[in-house]
Each structure stands twice: as structure tokens, then as C-alpha cells.
Amino acid sequence: MLQYQSEPLDLAFQALSDPGRRAMVERLSFGPASVSELAKPLPMTLSAVVQHLKVLEEAGLVKSEKVGRVRTCTLEIKTMTQVERWIAERKRFWEQQYDQLEAYLAQTAAEENDR
Amino acid sequence: MSITNATFVIERVLNASPARVFAAYASLEAKSAWFKAPSDIVTLDRDFDFRVGGKERFRARWPSGMTSDFQATYHDIVENERIILVYDLFHNDEKLSVSLQTLELRPEGGRTRLIHTEQGSYFSGGMEAVKGREHGTAWHVDNLVALLEGKDARAFT
């Protein structure tokens, strides 16, 4: 099995598979927020938000910094641009199709010569 | 939900006339011979109506349980010259992208230069579904193994 997906990318996808964490990422896309600001619109406890935040941090999507008593979270833009990698994968998909097309054309050319 | 717009181009010089390359797209029988999947995917829906305004669909279930759904409409077809289609791609019923795909066939000696230009709007809210893309590679490896073993990889039919 080929291993082309880096582990960080797997972690990012896992982190984004949860709607609550996606909501947090969406909120942070408008700018940094404190943990309580993040928790306010969400139907979950503050400790659940902290847990989700930990998953997002481990995936490299979000970083947080504690200043005094307030922990401020920001989006790690670098990881989000991995959507570009997804687009590259789409290109790779079509490249694979054309490998098959070339093989098919070679095979059918041989059949035509046999006639 | 944020959107990323992107364009990519693939160019191939194929060892066949434009007429043979066009024919490889123009019927379900021919297209299924090269548009291939691993043997363990299950085809759920397959439509193929190759004419302007006609639709193509390929919906399948992968070994992981994920379903992918390719839904295309042909917008322009000029025999042996070009094919233009627009397609939506869904994973688990979530729309990941809308893409305009232009295929140009240019004669080059007895061969054909295929120029594939794809302009897409990608919805990053669907990114998590992209995990399924690893199957693209698995599929490729499966086909390679099948070739090495002298077997035909199974087609989308």
C-alpha cells in the first residue's frame, strides 16, 4: 500500500469530522476568540469545548495561548491550505484515469492490427 | 463555509488518432474499459447519456462504507475535437465540489494531444470526506497488481 497521506493530514481530517469542531473552526475563521467566546454559541459544556480544542490543537488546525487567565485561540492557516492538497489529489485521480486510457488505447490498437 | 477556486491542467500525448481517443469517451462500453475501479467497490448507480445536455452518473460504495457520487452534464461535444462537461462530486451525499472540465483533442502527427482543463469550486466544509481519497491510490495499486498478475482490473459498469 502506498503511503502518500501524511499523518498530519489524517489528524486534520479526523479533527474536522465532528460538527462541533467544525463550528469552532468556522468561528475562528472570523478571528481569534477566547475559550468562553468559542463555547458560548455551542450546545456543549465548557469542558467539552476544551476537549475539542485539544483535538484541533493536536491536528495543527488551531493554536492557543494563555495570557493571564484568558486562553485565546487562533486558526493555524497553514494547515487549512491543505485543501490545496485535496485539489492535487483530484488532479492525481484524473492522471490515473489517463494511465488507464493509454493502456486501453494500446490494447485496442493491438486488437485492430490482429484483424 | 468557505470556497476555494482552483484550476488545473493535465496534458497527455496519446498514441492514437483523435477519432480513437474520442471513441474511448463516446460509449459506455469503451469508457468502462479504462475508467476503472478496484474489484471490491459496489456500483450503485451508473448512467451514461453522451450528448449535449445528456447526463453521466457514477455512484459507488467503497470498502470503507463511503459512497462517492459523480454527476455530470455534457455541455458541448464536437466529434474528435472537444468534450465539455460540468460535474458535481459528492462523498456520503455531501457536495465537495462543482467543476467545469474541458477536454481538447489536438492531432499531433498520428497521435493526439489531450488537454484536460478543470476549473473547480471546492467547498472546504466537505474536507473531512476527502479521507476517502486514499482509495484513489489503493485503486491504482490494485490495478497495477492485476496487470502484473495478468488479470484485467474490473471496470465501472
Side-chain angles (χ1 to χ4, degrees), chain B residues 70-90:
Chain B
F70 168 87
Q71 295 185 16
T73 302
Y74 289 99
H75 282 247
D76 194 48
I77 298 174
V78 178
E79 191 175 7
N80 304 342
E81 284 184 24
R82 68 170 179 267
I83 301 165
I84 303 178
L85 55 103
V86 172
Y87 75 91
D88 297 338
L89 186 68
F90 300 82

Side-chain angles (χ1 to χ4, degrees), chain A residues 4 98-99 102 105 108, chain B residues 12 20 34-35 116 133 137:
Chain A
Y4 70 84
Y98 294 137
D99 291 343
E102 280 185 279
L105 290 169
T108 52
Chain B
R12 286 283 179 108
R20 287 191 61 229
W34 61 271
F35 204 58
H116 169 136
R133 197 147 310 272
T137 300

Side-chain angles (χ1 to χ4, degrees), chain A residues 24-87:
Chain A
M24 291 165 71
V25 168
E26 236 169 19
R27 165 62 188 87
L28 291 173
S29 70
F30 296 111
S34 69
V35 176
S36 57
E37 284 172 331
L38 269 182
K40 202 179 262 178
L42 296 172
M44 57 175 91
T45 63
L46 193 64
S47 67
V49 168
V50 170
Q51 286 298 312
H52 282 310
L53 199 57
K54 199 176 158 211
V55 175
L56 290 169
E57 284 197 65
E58 282 169 1
L61 294 167
V62 170
K63 58 183 176 185
S64 71
E65 202 180 3
K66 195 165 186 179
V67 179
R69 295 178 61 189
V70 178
R71 181 170 288 279
T72 302
C73 309
T74 48
L75 212 54
E76 268 278 32
I77 300 300
K78 195 161 154 270
T79 310
M80 291 303 284
T81 62
Q82 285 181 339
V83 68
E84 290 162 12
R85 293 187 62 168
W86 167 32
I87 295 162

